[in-house]
Amino acid sequence: MGYDVHITRRKFWPDEGDEIAFNEFVQLVRGDKDFKYPGENGDDYADWHSPQSAYESWLSWSDGQIYTKNPEPEFVDKLVEMARKLRARVQGDDGEVYLSAKEIQKEETPPDTLTLHNAPRLSVFFQWPLWKQLVAAFLLGCVLLGLKLLIFK
C-alpha cells in the first residue's frame, strides 16, 4: 500500500466532477520528452525518467484523473508543472494540495469523509498521549483496588 498523489480538477479527488479526458493525458505525456508512452503497464500508464537523477516513476490515468504512488519531491514538482498545463491541481490522498514539493496547502476535508484526523472524539481521555492514558488507567486501578479492600475487609 502506498500514498497516492492525484492530478485532478475536482475539489476533493474521490468526488464526482470535472474529469481529465484520456486523450488529454496521452497528449500531455507524449508532449513531454521525460515520459515514455505507453508505459510498461499499458496504455493507461506513462513512465517517467528524471533528467537530473536516476529516479524513475510512473503516472496512470483512471476515472478522469491522473495519479502516482509515493512520489519523490522532484516528481511532485513535475506533477505540479503538468497540472498547471491541464488547469488542474495536485492533491494527496488526504486532500492536501501541493503547490510544490515544499509548499503544501492544507484543504478542509469534506465533512462526509470520515478519517482518523477529523473523526469525532469519544472522550478527552483519548486525546491524551499514551503515557498519560496508561498512568490514568493505573491510578484508576489503584483507586478501585483500594475501594475493594475497604469494602470487603
Side-chain angles (χ1 to χ4, degrees):
M1 185 155 173
Y3 191 80
D4 291 351
V5 175
H6 314 264
I7 297 177
T8 185
R9 290 184 179 135
R10 301 171 186 168
K11 180 167 174 56
F12 188 51
W13 68 268
D15 294 342
E16 296 292 321
D18 195 4
E19 295 190 354
I20 297 169
F22 179 69
N23 65 345
E24 289 180 280
F25 166 70
V26 172
Q27 188 175 24
L28 181 69
V29 293
R30 280 190 172 159
D32 191 311
K33 64 181 173 31
D34 300 329
F35 281 93
K36 178 184 172 247
Y37 177 82
E40 285 184 25
N41 293 320
D43 290 343
D44 291 347
Y45 286 83
D47 297 327
W48 185 70
H49 303 279
S50 167
Q52 287 109 2
S53 68
Y55 180 69
E56 296 180 353
S57 193
W58 53 268
L59 284 179
S60 180
W61 179 89
S62 177
D63 190 33
Q65 301 179 93
I66 300 168
Y67 78 98
T68 191
K69 281 195 183 308
N70 305 321
E72 294 286 324
E74 179 183 8
F75 196 39
V76 170
D77 286 335
K78 182 68 172 183
L79 297 175
V80 169
E81 173 190 320
M82 296 176 79
R84 286 186 183 125
K85 292 177 183 177
L86 292 170
R87 295 177 327 279
R89 61 192 185 157
V90 177
Q91 189 175 61
D93 275 346
D94 293 332
E96 73 282 10
V97 174
Y98 291 82
L99 305 175
S100 73
K102 295 179 181 177
E103 190 176 1
I104 300 171
Q105 177 183 345
K106 297 291 182 190
E107 291 285 304
E108 292 239 357
T109 306
D112 60 338
T113 305
L114 187 60
T115 58
L116 289 178
H117 64 271
N118 70 353
R121 301 294 183 186
L122 299 175
S123 165
V124 172
F125 176 79
F126 293 107
Q127 294 179 14
W128 295 350
L130 182 59
W131 71 269
K132 283 186 178 181
Q133 293 178 32
L134 293 172
V135 168
F138 175 76
L139 292 174
L140 180 61
C142 289
V143 168
L144 292 174
L145 181 62
L147 287 173
K148 180 181 175 187
L149 292 174
L150 283 174
I151 295 172
F152 300 107
K153 279 191 191 182

